[in-house]
Amino acid sequence: MSSVGSHQEQLSQSDPSPSPNSCSSFELLDMDAGSLYEPVSPHWFYCKIIDSKETWIPFNSEDSQQLEDAYGSGKDCNGRVVPTDGGRYDVHLGERMRYAVYWDELASEVRRCTWFYKGDKDNKYVPYSESFSQVLEETYMLAVTLDEWKKKLESPNREIIILHNPKLMVHYQPVAGSDEWGSTPTEQGRPRTVKRGVENISVDIHCGEPLQIDHLVFVVHGIGPACDLRFRSIVQCVNDFRSVSLNLLQTHFKKAQENQQIGRVEFLPVNWHSPLHSTGVDVDLQRITLPSINRLRHFTNDTILDVFFYNSPTYCQTIVDTVASEMNRIYTLFLQRNPDFKGGVSIAGHSLGSLILFDILTNQKDSLGDIDSEKDAPNIVMDQGDTLTLEEDLEKLQLSEFFSIFEKEKVDKEALALCTDKDLQEMGIPLGPRKKILNYIRTRKKSTGINRPILQPASGVNISNIPKELEFCNKTDSTGNGDYLDVGIGQVSVKYPRLIYKPEIFFAFGSPIGMFLTVRGLKRIDPNYKFPTCKGFFNIYHPFDPVAYRIEPMVVPGVEFEPMLIPHHKGRKRMHLELREGLTRMSMDLKNNLLGSLRMAWKSFTRAPYPALQASETAEETEAESESSSEKLSDVNTEEASVAVKEVPPINVGMLNGGQRIDYVLQEKPIESFNEYLFALQSHLCYWESEDTVLLVLKEIYQTQGIFLDQPLQ
């Protein structure tokens, strides 16, 4: 308490006190409410830099309680690590720092918060430091216990906090700083509100995520580091996708949640842009980039050139290696942190990311064995005849002294095969030994890698050796040069790495797969073709997306039919689409009725008179004629109606999605239908926050587990 007394004694002489008139209204408040002191309830926050500005975000209620329990356990906090945010972040209590688990991200400060003040430029509350919050709490306790208010304190930043009464506490920021003689400020700026306890500030605190994880989905981004119009990273966009999925589980899978049949689906981002541009290619590009329109050229180098990188054999190899190794690494780490996980794995790709995944899936070999039974110990087969242990391998490389490091980090031979140069560096392995180890792993992979069948596009190619997967538009090259095409997808030969799991479903968002396959010379996809290790494939796109292309016309090239319309997440078509269809049907009905009336009038006008004696015969003929005319009219009507509403019979679109439809189109919003071009770019980036897209993903994932929506969408 001595620190509090010294604060108050110092301020009683130097700090200005408000006049009695200015505080008279404060004394009218009921003071009985503060007669009993109750300790404040802390809540844990973390700091994020958003738009170059510090923003304090509260942990969800479950994570905050876990952190508080660990803090109050009485044990040494310096070594305590608490997993938060569904296991995607770890909080090191001693350091008060929050670290990402599965991806690279700047660590963020963590704080146990009890007292807050309102920020300068917005209405968001900022927490005081833990030490000064303790001083405030002690002062508040004295004021409540002794019923002595108008307490004044000075913060470490020489800002003044005055506790007028339990309901009115203000924070003054001095306008004039201390002069060179060390005198205290005499002017005060605009007062800010001070609040005690998180329950007294306006902030959204979520309940937390279900602990049970039913399914894991890897999400691969497209070109560039930014994934939406707000220039957010893949991590932030996947966070939105995950949040939407949690909300939809509560609304559309309520029965399954109440029966504890389901938990949640975990979505984890996979970043390949940063490793690609850390190869030094940006420096090479900068040397040849013209100085004019600098920002536009930088944007082009950072985003659009990713497409050309992927069509280069050198950088294509870097990209596919990065994507596959990242997914394998994250999968292994996920199983280590979630040993009870028994669910399946799916993959999703946006834009160019979907093409990367398509190429990787097409080049997988269905020789993994029963991976589902090996989840507890996933491995990568480096050499079928290899029986050496990691210790023996290191001894062979004369690096035995580093075995203890690998043993401490629990790195076995399979885990070492997934390590990058950065991983070895973080373990403390020097540069020379790192290079030896990486070269050894690379050599072993090359010597034991599976040779993929290749097709040389020459006129004398033996077509009988090509599997019945895909049929090429043969670009004959009589010179027989070294341009080899992969039999699976017609791409320049690249060694595709092997995934250590079998994905159940592949979701493509705004995907250019169809266009790339056509440009590579692919005419059609055989209806019997399916991915070697993946059963499902959904091509999801917005109707105005300029990058998206269909897949089904490549399977059934001779038939025109519409894609599957994705239902609105509220269970109906959007109103403007229903209105458009209704107007179309109404106009066709009016047209048919008008044509029918004119036809009947013309027939009655041109009909010849019959004698009265032939009345019965005439009646029969007239009836037959009217029946035939009505049949003709009905035929015309059905033809017109079929033009108006294209109802196609079930079409066989092959086995790429297990016999189900492949192309699924979103419903555009009413405002988007006014101008397709205006919303084209936004349409390509809309999938992250699209409830319709997320619901389709959840529906298909849970259908594999025999769990369905509460109410089927129309």
Side-chain angles (χ1 to χ4, degrees):
M1 299 298 177
S2 59
S3 63
V4 180
S6 62
H7 270 287
Q8 296 172 4
E9 186 177 352
Q10 177 187 357
L11 287 167
S12 62
Q13 299 177 357
S14 59
D15 292 329
S17 301
S19 63
N21 293 333
S22 64
C23 293
S24 59
S25 59
F26 306 152
E27 297 169 357
L28 297 176
L29 295 173
D30 183 15
M31 306 301 292
D32 294 334
S35 58
L36 295 176
Y37 170 76
E38 292 183 2
V40 65
S41 298
H43 195 93
W44 291 75
F45 282 66
Y46 63 93
C47 182
K48 293 282 286 184
I49 305 299
I50 301 176
D51 298 330
S52 303
K53 184 173 60 176
E54 286 189 355
T55 302
W56 287 90
I57 302 171
F59 284 96
N60 64 58
S61 54
E62 292 181 6
D63 290 344
S64 180
Q65 189 59 49
Q66 281 190 6
L67 290 167
E68 186 62 23
D69 292 343
Y71 174 81
S73 63
K75 299 178 182 178
D76 182 21
C77 290
N78 290 331
R80 293 296 297 273
V81 177
V82 180
T84 61
D85 299 276
R88 296 181 296 276
Y89 289 89
D90 282 342
V91 172
H92 294 239
L93 271 184
E95 302 176 27
R96 290 292 197 273
M97 298 297 286
R98 172 177 176 264
Y99 296 93
V101 173
Y102 298 107
W103 55 83
D104 291 332
E105 183 179 311
L106 289 175
S108 51
E109 182 186 351
V110 172
R111 191 175 290 179
R112 182 177 182 264
C113 305
T114 52
W115 285 76
F116 307 83
Y117 66 92
K118 189 171 285 189
D120 240 345
K121 299 179 181 178
D122 51 25
N123 292 324
K124 294 181 179 178
Y125 281 87
V126 180
Y128 288 105
S129 66
E130 291 186 37
S131 58
F132 187 65
S133 292
Q134 188 175 356
V135 173
L136 283 168
E137 185 64 20
E138 291 173 356
T139 306
Y140 178 85
M141 182 181 66
L142 280 176
V144 171
T145 306
L146 303 176
D147 197 17
E148 294 178 0
W149 292 96
K150 302 175 187 174
K151 302 287 185 181
K152 287 171 284 184
L153 295 92
E154 184 176 340
S155 74
N157 298 329
R158 299 181 62 77
E159 297 174 344
I160 300 168
I161 294 90
I162 303 177
L163 311 183
H164 291 295
N165 59 54
K167 296 183 179 179
L168 183 61
M169 296 171 280
V170 290
H171 176 130
Y172 290 99
Q173 184 177 16
V175 175
S178 301
D179 57 24
E180 59 185 359
W181 300 100
S183 61
T184 55
T186 56
E187 296 182 35
Q188 296 173 345
R190 182 174 59 87
R192 305 180 193 173
T193 306
V194 175
K195 294 291 184 181
R196 175 179 178 266
V198 71
E199 64 275 5
N200 293 316
I201 66 173
S202 55
V203 63
D204 292 330
I205 299 177
H206 301 288
C207 296
E209 303 175 9
L211 295 177
Q212 177 187 333
I213 300 176
D214 305 318
H215 202 87
L216 175 63
V217 181
F218 294 116
V219 184
V220 181
H221 66 86
I223 63 171
C227 296
D228 66 357
L229 290 176
R230 287 175 279 177
F231 297 99
R232 297 185 303 165
S233 67
I234 180 64
V235 173
Q236 294 169 300
C237 291
V238 172
N239 286 345
D240 276 353
F241 202 87
R242 188 187 305 108
S243 298
V244 174
S245 74
L246 292 173
N247 293 333
L248 290 174
L249 285 175
Q250 294 177 358
T251 56
H252 291 71
F253 293 87
K254 196 171 183 179
K255 292 179 182 177
Q257 277 197 335
E258 290 174 351
N259 297 331
Q260 297 183 344
Q261 292 178 284
I262 63 172
R264 64 184 176 92
V265 176
E266 180 62 281
F267 297 90
L268 295 178
V270 177
N271 180 16
W272 55 266
H273 181 269
S274 300
L276 170 67
H277 288 263
S278 63
T279 58
V281 66
D282 286 354
V283 178
D284 298 335
L285 284 171
Q286 191 60 39
R287 285 201 300 265
I288 60 175
T289 301
L290 302 182
S292 58
I293 50 172
N294 186 42
R295 290 186 180 179
L296 180 59
R297 293 187 192 278
H298 176 73
F299 173 79
T300 302
N301 289 350
D302 207 30
T303 55
I304 299 174
L305 285 189
D306 284 351
V307 179
F308 298 99
F309 283 137
Y310 190 65
N311 284 313
S312 157
T314 302
Y315 293 107
C316 178
Q317 187 70 64
T318 302
I319 292 172
V320 296
D321 284 348
T322 302
V323 171
S325 63
E326 270 295 284
M327 290 196 295
N328 287 342
R329 180 189 67 83
I330 296 173
Y331 180 69
T332 304
L333 181 57
F334 179 83
L335 290 183
Q336 291 174 0
R337 295 175 64 90
N338 301 273
D340 298 329
F341 176 71
K342 303 298 179 185
V345 183
S346 293
I347 55 178
H350 175 242
S351 190
L352 182 63
S354 64
L355 177 66
I356 298 169
L357 292 177
F358 184 89
D359 289 349
I360 291 174
L361 287 179
T362 308
N363 288 274
Q364 294 298 294
K365 298 299 176 183
D366 193 11
S367 58
L368 298 180
D370 189 9
I371 287 186
D372 294 334
S373 64
E374 298 175 4
K375 282 182 180 176
D376 294 332
N379 55 17
I380 298 177
V381 180
M382 294 286 294
D383 188 350
Q384 299 296 335
D386 185 18
T387 57
L388 295 178
T389 63
L390 176 60
E391 187 174 8
E392 292 169 340
D393 278 339
L394 291 173
E395 187 176 355
K396 185 178 177 182
L397 294 172
Q398 297 180 348
L399 300 173
S400 301
E401 65 268 24
F402 299 107
F403 178 70
S404 59
I405 298 177
F406 292 119
E407 193 175 28
K408 180 183 176 183
E409 296 291 338
K410 296 183 179 180
V411 175
D412 56 10
K413 199 168 182 179
E414 290 76 26
L416 183 61
L418 299 173
C419 287
T420 62
D421 183 76
K422 185 179 179 182
D423 296 330
L424 296 175
Q425 186 178 1
E426 289 177 352
M427 282 189 270
I429 309 295
L431 178 62
R434 284 205 312 269
K435 295 298 181 183
K436 281 186 178 181
I437 294 171
L438 292 173
N439 183 60
Y440 180 71
I441 294 173
R442 196 179 304 115
T443 305
R444 297 290 298 281
K445 281 183 179 178
K446 286 182 179 179
S447 63
T448 60
I450 301 173
N451 294 322
R452 291 163 39 255
I454 53 175
L455 165 67
Q456 183 177 359
S459 56
V461 68
N462 185 4
I463 302 297
S464 62
N465 293 331
I466 304 175
K468 294 181 179 179
E469 302 167 345
L470 304 167
E471 181 181 321
F472 282 86
C473 175
N474 190 14
K475 309 292 185 187
T476 304
D477 184 3
S478 57
T479 60
N481 57 23
D483 245 359
Y484 284 84
L485 299 179
D486 184 293
V487 254
I489 48 177
Q491 190 186 16
V492 175
S493 180
V494 171
K495 287 189 175 181
Y496 287 91
R498 196 170 89 174
L499 301 178
I500 59 176
Y501 55 86
K502 289 185 178 180
E504 293 189 3
I505 308 175
F506 168 35
F507 299 99
F509 307 138
S511 173
I513 292 173
M515 180 270 290
F516 270 86
L517 294 182
T518 303
V519 170
R520 291 172 183 175
L522 203 66
K523 259 189 176 179
R524 63 185 293 269
I525 300 174
D526 190 280
N528 296 320
Y529 175 70
K530 57 185 178 181
F531 293 123
T533 59
C534 184
K535 299 176 183 177
F537 174 38
F538 290 84
N539 182 37
I540 302 167
Y541 60 92
H542 190 284
F544 303 155
D545 189 338
V547 180
Y549 290 81
R550 292 190 63 184
I551 297 293
E552 290 174 341
M554 298 189 72
V555 182
V556 192
V559 183
E560 290 188 9
F561 55 97
E562 296 293 326
M564 290 291 289
L565 187 68
I566 299 176
H568 192 264
H569 66 282
K570 292 185 178 178
R572 50 169 289 174
K573 283 187 180 179
R574 293 187 183 272
M575 190 174 295
H576 70 288
L577 295 178
E578 290 185 348
L579 181 62
R580 184 190 301 167
E581 288 185 4
L583 290 174
T584 303
R585 280 196 297 266
M586 187 171 65
S587 63
M588 294 308 302
D589 290 343
L590 288 173
K591 179 181 176 183
N592 293 336
N593 291 337
L594 180 61
L595 288 174
S597 301
L598 290 174
R599 192 177 293 110
M600 294 300 293
W602 176 255
K603 286 183 178 179
S604 63
F605 180 73
T606 56
R607 185 182 299 154
Y610 290 95
L613 294 176
Q614 300 175 352
S616 60
E617 183 182 349
T618 304
E620 292 175 1
E621 291 178 358
T622 305
E623 185 178 349
E625 185 178 338
S626 63
E627 286 179 0
S628 63
S629 62
S630 63
E631 288 176 2
K632 290 180 181 179
L633 183 61
S634 65
D635 292 341
V636 173
N637 290 346
T638 53
E639 287 179 9
E640 300 280 358
S642 65
V643 173
V645 182
K646 296 182 179 179
E647 296 179 357
V648 293
I651 296 175
N652 179 19
V653 292
M655 298 305 296
L656 198 54
N657 192 22
Q660 299 183 65
R661 294 293 300 273
I662 301 170
D663 293 335
Y664 288 78
V665 61
L666 292 166
Q667 302 178 36
E668 74 272 16
K669 297 177 181 177
I671 191 172
E672 293 173 343
S673 60
F674 286 113
N675 193 319
E676 300 177 2
Y677 296 95
L678 189 62
F679 294 95
L681 181 59
Q682 180 179 325
S683 300
H684 183 57
L685 306 171
C686 72
Y687 306 99
W688 308 115
E689 298 176 275
S690 168
E691 291 96 339
D692 300 348
T693 302
V694 178
L695 186 58
L696 177 63
V697 171
L698 293 176
K699 181 174 75 75
E700 295 301 329
I701 285 175
Y702 278 112
Q703 273 186 3
T704 62
Q705 303 177 18
I707 297 171
F708 302 92
L709 294 168
D710 291 344
Q711 293 181 348
L713 300 178
Q714 299 296 326

